[in-house]
Amino acid sequence: MKIKSLYISAEQKNVGTLFVSMGMMDILKRNLHRVAFFRPVIFSKNIRDNDIDFILKRYNLDMEYQDAYGFDIDYVENMIASKRLDELINQLIQKFKKLENSYDFVLCEGIRHSSLTSTIEYDFNMLLAQNFGSSIINILGAKEISVRDIYENILIENENISAHDCTHFATFVSRLSDKKYLELKKRLKNHDFAIYLLKEVKELDIPTLEDVKEALDAKPILFSPNDNSRVARNFKIAAQSIENFLNQMQEDDLVVLCADRSDIVTAIIAAFYSKEYPKISGIIFSSDTQIHPNIQKILLGLKEFNLPVLSVAADTYQIAKKLTQVYSRLRVNSERKIALALGLFNASIDIKVIEEKIVTQKTEVITPIMFEYKLFEMAAKKRKKIVLPESGDERILRAAEIVLRRNIADIILLGDENEIQESAQKFGLNLSEATIINPFTSELLEEFADVFYSIRKEKGLSLQGAKDAMAHINYFATMMVHLGHADGMVSGAIHTTADTIRPALQIIKTSPGVSIASSLFFMCLKTKVLVYGDCALNQNPNAKELAQIAISCAKTSRAFGIEPKVAMLSYSTGQSGEGADVDKVREAAQIVKSLQPDLKIDGPIQYDAAIDKSVASLKLPNSEVAGEASVFVFPDLNTGNNTYKALQRSGGAIAIGPILQGLKKPVNDLSRGCSVKDIVNTILITAIQAEQK
């Protein structure tokens, strides 16, 4: 039987309740349009609940904050103390049922163990799940508990759930060491209910500079938004000599000192630029002391100085005391931690089994969030190697880390390893799992030049010319894809479209039966995803080329789960217009129909008739495409490029692309104004294309 709600219950402290809620919400939002989040009991109605705030913002849920909780602890305790438990349960059921009746699914997160009192019983969560009719996910922590005790707790909790006549969805065991993980896995070999084991990831417990800044009420002196995600592994008080301080300095230290210690500040700057010293996480100046103007000039004048500097009013002793009480929080903008957490979650569970249990109905609605999560799911099916030539760009490195942390693809970075690792340390990134290849010293360089020479010698290319070409990182990366050292390539953050595509056309070339490479954008609207082609590559295609673009767009559309209904766009619909531009589109549509008679396609057709059913009923009443088009093929680059940008900038659509299609192996281009998120999405799409090839 399909279920419409889940109740997450954790009977211990610090076992990762929000972590599991986020993982489950990720799965739900991939499959369902309207999902609600509900916490029956929160700490206080006067303090905004962190978990509710996180889930509502992270997943852009269509609900108000006040609808996402029942009551606070004080109200619940008063109701129970007044022997009005049944009334309380009925009130909570009413709030829950209101959500269940309005949404496709409700994910509930139970009362925290730390909030349980002598008044609120241990089994209160079980009682609520029972009355909500929700299946239960229970979370057990493994930290500082023996494997035997963990195993017994699993069995006891399972019996407890059954005793309350509740449906047991799954048990999550969190914070397992590698040793405990292996031992427990062996003990649970023949269990008959779903158990998922989550390993301990120490970095999830390490506070970030944002945690520190908030806890100490620190003022930024030199600080960028990206610095919030830097981790502070250790705290160091710099009260000794320069020599002793440098000897004790470690990677990702947060250093506390008085600003008048100009000698230490100067030493930190020098060490930060030296390859011989580890990179610290940041500096805190104590007692609101002012840095010497000359030292401040040095700091402000340093090129690409990526070391955060904060100031706190308290003295060094008070700061040190407060730092011991700074805890790690999962925040909406904690992209590095979120990527790490979701990577662990998805690697530890059986997503297909969970989806089969929870999906209550199929929907034609595809929101941008649903589509982007679907990309993660599709890309993760078979891990592919994606080469990123532009390792000198900070956005590329940040995107690479997110992809690696989410276990989506293997990343190859091109460039000098020392320089890349130094950049990663400056930006506070961990790229240890990336493969780094220096094209200029690689043993592959000579082989690549020989292969390129053999491909292009009939075009007049000399061997020296081939060697010179391979010295360009995009040519080297493209040859890696061509010869199977990588499955796909993403470039264009700092190079032109021509720099990215030209090597692909010369080396990889188009697939058999494909006469022209082309591009498309996935245009994510509020409740649907449309395909626009070709908006980035071919300037003025003729009828045959336009037909090939339409066929390629339909194929790509279907590969990404969008059923193609192709509209060949023009300023005229049906037989109403004449002229060379309309005739080209009409001819292209006929060519597609003759080559692929089963494909739903119509043209020439105007945009309003293609997208709007009421207009379609007047202009093309018998069309299978009019009013329902999902793929829009523009007659030329001018029309397509302007239309997608107008919809993106004025219509609020999210544009994913350009995605190149028609090549034997995937190579994709980025806009030079791309964001980290754009790069991640393009890497995902490239990995999916590689799998389909």
Side-chain angles (χ1 to χ4, degrees):
M1 182 181 72
K2 301 293 185 183
I3 59 174
K4 282 202 70 175
S5 64
L6 278 171
Y7 195 104
I8 297 174
S9 171
E11 306 302 348
Q12 298 159 283
K13 293 181 181 179
N14 301 321
V15 294
T17 308
L18 178 56
F19 168 66
V20 174
S21 293
M22 179 177 66
M24 293 305 301
M25 185 61 76
D26 230 51
I27 294 173
L28 290 167
K29 287 297 288 181
R30 278 202 294 265
N31 294 279
L32 300 170
H33 174 38
R34 288 176 55 76
V35 180
F37 184 71
F38 184 62
R39 295 204 68 199
V41 184
I42 60 172
F43 177 72
S44 170
K45 64 182 179 181
N46 299 318
I47 301 173
R48 202 165 174 91
D49 184 82
N50 178 64
D51 289 18
I52 294 175
D53 216 30
F54 179 93
I55 295 293
L56 293 188
K57 289 177 181 175
R58 169 75 186 173
Y59 297 99
N60 195 27
L61 299 190
D62 183 21
M63 62 185 303
E64 298 297 325
Y65 174 82
Q66 60 267 24
D67 294 328
Y69 70 89
F71 304 104
D72 63 10
I73 289 290
D74 287 344
Y75 182 87
V76 171
E77 285 192 322
N78 288 334
M79 291 293 285
I80 295 173
S82 304
K83 297 184 178 179
R84 297 163 67 190
L85 177 61
D86 288 348
E87 185 181 344
L88 171 65
I89 297 296
N90 282 328
Q91 289 174 346
L92 286 170
I93 289 173
Q94 286 176 21
K95 287 176 176 281
F96 169 79
K97 288 296 181 184
K98 183 180 177 182
L99 294 176
E100 191 177 47
N101 291 333
S102 302
Y103 292 85
D104 299 327
F105 202 97
V106 184
L107 182 66
C108 300
E109 186 181 287
I111 186 172
R112 290 287 168 82
H113 182 275
S114 56
S115 299
L116 294 175
T117 64
S118 57
T119 306
I120 305 173
E121 293 184 3
Y122 176 81
D123 284 336
F124 189 69
N125 278 325
M126 212 73 69
L127 183 64
L128 292 181
Q130 182 188 63
N131 281 279
F132 291 171
S134 303
S135 293
I136 289 182
I137 289 176
N138 62 315
I139 311 173
L140 301 171
K143 201 174 181 71
E144 299 175 1
I145 302 176
S146 69
V147 172
R148 180 179 176 180
D149 287 344
I150 298 167
Y151 180 70
E152 289 179 355
N153 286 345
I154 291 170
L155 298 181
I156 290 168
E157 284 298 313
N158 185 51
E159 289 177 9
N160 190 29
I161 292 169
S162 298
H164 282 81
D165 293 323
C166 293
T167 303
H168 187 193
F169 187 87
T171 293
F172 285 83
V173 183
S174 67
R175 307 185 75 116
L176 283 160
S177 65
D178 289 343
K179 185 179 178 182
K180 286 181 180 179
Y181 176 86
L182 293 173
E183 289 181 25
L184 192 58
K185 195 173 181 181
K186 191 181 293 184
R187 277 183 180 251
L188 295 169
K189 197 172 183 180
N190 298 315
H191 65 82
D192 57 355
F193 54 94
I195 300 177
Y196 300 115
L197 307 181
L198 305 171
K199 289 185 178 181
E200 175 91 86
V201 178
K202 290 183 180 178
E203 189 169 330
L204 291 175
D205 282 335
I206 298 173
T208 62
L209 291 194
E210 186 170 13
D211 297 325
V212 172
K213 192 171 61 169
E214 186 178 275
L216 273 59
D217 193 24
K219 294 186 296 184
I221 304 299
L222 285 175
F223 207 86
S224 74
N226 285 330
D227 292 330
N228 281 316
S229 63
R230 284 176 176 267
V231 295
R233 295 187 191 279
N234 299 292
F235 307 118
K236 293 281 173 66
I237 308 297
Q240 63 272 67
S241 67
I242 293 176
E243 294 80 10
N244 288 333
F245 169 74
L246 290 175
N247 282 335
Q248 294 178 19
M249 194 168 67
Q250 293 179 313
E251 193 78 32
D252 292 330
D253 276 349
L254 182 59
V255 179
V256 182
L257 75 159
C258 287
D260 59 9
R261 286 295 306 268
S262 298
D263 56 337
I264 295 289
V265 177
T266 307
I268 288 173
I269 295 170
F272 194 75
Y273 276 92
S274 171
K275 295 181 180 179
E276 300 301 320
Y277 284 94
K279 302 293 182 286
I280 66 171
S281 183
I283 298 172
I284 295 179
F285 289 143
S286 62
S287 305
D288 270 345
T289 50
Q290 297 298 310
I291 191 170
H292 192 281
N294 290 339
I295 302 299
Q296 189 168 12
K297 275 185 182 180
I298 293 173
L299 281 171
L300 294 173
L302 289 169
K303 187 180 180 182
E304 297 179 359
F305 188 69
N306 294 100
L307 185 62
V309 181
L310 300 168
S311 177
V312 177
D315 62 33
T316 303
Y317 173 76
Q318 291 172 319
I319 292 172
K321 191 175 179 181
K322 286 182 178 180
L323 284 173
T324 62
Q325 300 169 356
V326 176
Y327 298 103
S328 172
R329 277 183 57 190
L330 198 60
R331 304 167 187 270
V332 176
N333 59 351
S334 306
E335 287 300 333
R336 297 183 68 231
K337 281 194 174 181
I338 289 171
L340 188 61
L342 289 175
L344 169 66
F345 186 87
N346 291 332
S348 305
I349 65 169
D350 191 328
I351 294 177
K352 189 175 181 182
V353 168
I354 290 177
E355 285 182 330
E356 286 174 352
K357 287 183 180 180
I358 65 173
V359 177
T360 58
Q361 61 190 62
K362 289 291 181 184
T363 176
E364 291 184 3
V365 170
I366 305 176
T367 66
I369 290 177
M370 290 172 73
F371 185 69
E372 288 181 2
Y373 291 159
K374 205 72 178 174
L375 294 181
F376 276 100
E377 182 185 30
M378 293 174 72
K381 285 181 179 177
K382 193 169 183 181
R383 197 163 169 140
K384 294 294 181 181
K385 291 181 182 178
I386 307 301
V387 59
L388 307 176
E390 300 166 318
S391 61
D393 190 286
E394 180 182 349
R395 295 166 298 171
I396 294 290
L397 299 184
R398 291 189 178 279
E401 186 195 44
I402 289 172
V403 171
L404 289 169
R405 287 184 162 215
R406 292 206 54 176
N407 296 312
I408 299 300
D410 292 319
I411 296 295
I412 302 171
L413 295 169
L414 297 189
D416 180 86
E417 183 168 3
N418 291 332
E419 290 179 4
I420 292 172
Q421 292 296 359
E422 189 174 352
S423 294
Q425 290 174 351
K426 281 184 181 180
F427 302 139
L429 306 176
N430 181 358
L431 294 172
S432 58
E433 291 185 23
T435 299
I436 299 174
I437 296 175
N438 188 338
F440 305 109
T441 60
S442 172
E443 58 187 21
L444 297 172
L445 190 59
E446 190 172 339
E447 177 195 351
F448 285 6
D450 289 341
V451 173
F452 189 48
Y453 171 66
S454 67
I455 293 173
R456 301 288 295 177
K457 62 184 178 182
E458 292 183 1
K459 301 285 186 180
L461 181 70
S462 66
L463 181 58
Q464 185 57 49
K467 289 179 179 179
D468 292 342
M470 284 304 122
H472 191 290
I473 55 172
N474 275 351
Y475 273 93
F476 188 93
T478 304
M479 190 61 78
M480 287 188 72
V481 177
H482 177 61
L483 296 179
H485 297 283
D487 299 305
M489 165 184 148
V490 174
S491 186
I494 56 178
H495 290 93
T496 65
T497 296
D499 286 336
T500 301
I501 296 174
R502 188 185 297 112
L505 293 176
Q506 291 178 354
I507 297 170
I508 294 174
K509 302 181 180 178
T510 56
S511 299
V514 176
S515 59
I516 185 173
S518 58
S519 74
L520 62 76
F521 282 87
F522 291 113
M523 301 302 295
C524 301
L525 310 184
K526 190 174 181 180
T527 58
K528 65 174 72 174
V529 177
L530 305 177
V531 173
Y532 278 16
D534 173 358
C535 304
L537 195 56
N538 296 290
Q539 190 168 353
N540 190 20
N542 60 36
K544 288 184 179 179
E545 291 170 336
L546 199 59
Q548 179 61 70
I549 291 169
I551 291 170
S552 294
C553 286
K555 184 178 179 181
T556 303
S557 170
R558 189 176 287 112
F560 283 85
I562 301 169
E563 185 59 31
K565 293 183 179 180
V566 184
M568 305 293 288
L569 297 175
S570 174
Y571 60 78
S572 170
T573 296
Q575 303 300 318
S576 64
E578 295 179 354
D581 291 339
V582 181
D583 292 341
K584 178 181 80 169
V585 175
R586 184 176 291 116
E587 183 185 349
Q590 290 302 320
I591 292 171
V592 176
K593 288 177 182 178
S594 66
L595 293 174
Q596 297 202 358
D598 294 334
L599 180 63
K600 293 179 180 178
I601 182 169
D602 216 332
I605 185 171
Q606 291 162 288
Y607 195 96
D608 58 350
I611 195 77
D612 191 310
K613 288 185 178 180
S614 60
V615 177
S617 64
L618 297 173
K619 293 188 175 183
L620 279 178
N622 299 317
S623 172
E624 290 185 296
V625 172
E628 299 181 354
S630 57
V631 177
F632 297 78
V633 179
F634 293 89
D636 52 56
L637 186 60
N638 183 49
T639 310
N641 193 269
N642 279 299
T643 303
Y644 105 76
K645 285 182 177 176
L647 187 60
Q648 179 188 35
R649 301 299 179 184
S650 301
I654 296 172
I656 300 177
I659 309 304
L660 301 186
Q661 53 189 2
L663 296 171
K664 290 179 183 176
K665 293 185 178 182
V667 170
N668 278 309
D669 182 39
L670 297 165
S671 162
R672 276 168 284 178
C674 62
S675 66
V676 172
K677 186 177 180 181
D678 293 333
I679 299 168
V680 170
N681 282 337
T682 305
I683 292 171
L684 299 182
I685 287 171
T686 306
I688 294 166
Q689 287 178 315
E691 168 63 16
Q692 291 162 351
K693 293 291 182 183

